[in-house]
């Protein structure tokens, strides 16, 4: 049984382009995109206020691109638990998993 799973999420075109630029600039190469995204998600979960960061992503729009990352099952499990936490805190939010992934990517870009 493989220990990784694919996660797809919607992003605006400009965020997809910025993601590619930062993955390459940070030395991961195109094949290292999933690792870069995984590290971004792990980093997001370390912030105490990550729930609020995700709720702020309402300002984004134009999700016309799909991005895919391969995550370890342990990180996927953390992601699923975070979805439940967020739904408890913000029951009307939609697309929670995509919001988490977008927020993680955006926070890593902003903090680099």
């Amino acid at each position: 049984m493989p220990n990784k799973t694919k996660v797809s999420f919607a992003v605006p075109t400009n965020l997809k382009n910025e993601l590619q630029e930062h993955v390459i600039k940070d030395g991961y190469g195109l094949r290292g995109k999933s690792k870069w995204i995984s590290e971004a998600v792990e980093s997001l979960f370390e912030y105490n206020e990550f729930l609020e960061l995700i709720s702020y992503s309402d300002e984004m729009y134009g999700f016309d691109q799909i991005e895919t990352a391969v995550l370890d099952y342990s990180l996927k499990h953390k992601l699923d638990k975070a979805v439940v936490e967020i739904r408890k805190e913000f029951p009307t939010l939609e697309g929670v998993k995509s919001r988490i992934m977008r927020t993680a990517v955006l926070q890593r870009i902003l903090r680099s």
Side-chain angles (χ1 to χ4, degrees):
M1 182 170 149
N3 59 351
K4 295 185 182 267
T5 185
K6 272 188 182 179
V7 174
S8 297
F9 55 102
V11 294
T13 301
N14 60 348
L15 184 59
K16 184 175 180 96
N17 294 338
E18 282 189 60
L19 170 62
Q20 275 187 319
E21 287 175 24
H22 280 269
V23 167
I24 292 168
K25 185 183 88 175
D26 292 348
Y28 287 79
L30 292 177
R31 295 184 142 280
K33 180 183 70 169
S34 289
K35 182 177 181 184
W36 191 96
I37 292 173
S38 293
E39 290 172 1
V41 173
E42 288 280 5
S43 179
L44 178 68
F45 290 157
E46 290 175 6
Y47 299 130
N48 290 335
E49 70 278 353
F50 85 91
L51 292 174
E52 288 82 35
L53 290 174
I54 291 162
S55 70
Y56 296 150
S57 69
D58 284 338
E59 302 302 315
M60 277 191 195
Y61 58 90
F63 304 121
D64 50 355
Q65 299 288 318
I66 298 295
E67 194 59 70
T68 303
V70 179
L71 307 179
D72 287 331
Y73 272 120
S74 61
L75 182 55
K76 175 70 165 75
H77 181 67
K78 289 179 187 177
L79 182 61
D80 292 340
K81 284 177 63 176
V83 168
V84 171
E85 275 185 61
I86 292 165
R87 287 224 177 265
K88 286 178 185 174
E89 188 76 24
F90 305 101
T92 59
L93 280 183
E94 294 187 21
V96 175
K97 192 177 299 182
S98 283
R99 283 176 183 261
I100 293 170
M101 300 299 289
R102 282 192 300 269
T103 301
V105 167
L106 189 59
Q107 287 298 312
R108 181 159 184 184
I109 289 171
L110 291 173
R111 295 174 192 268
S112 66

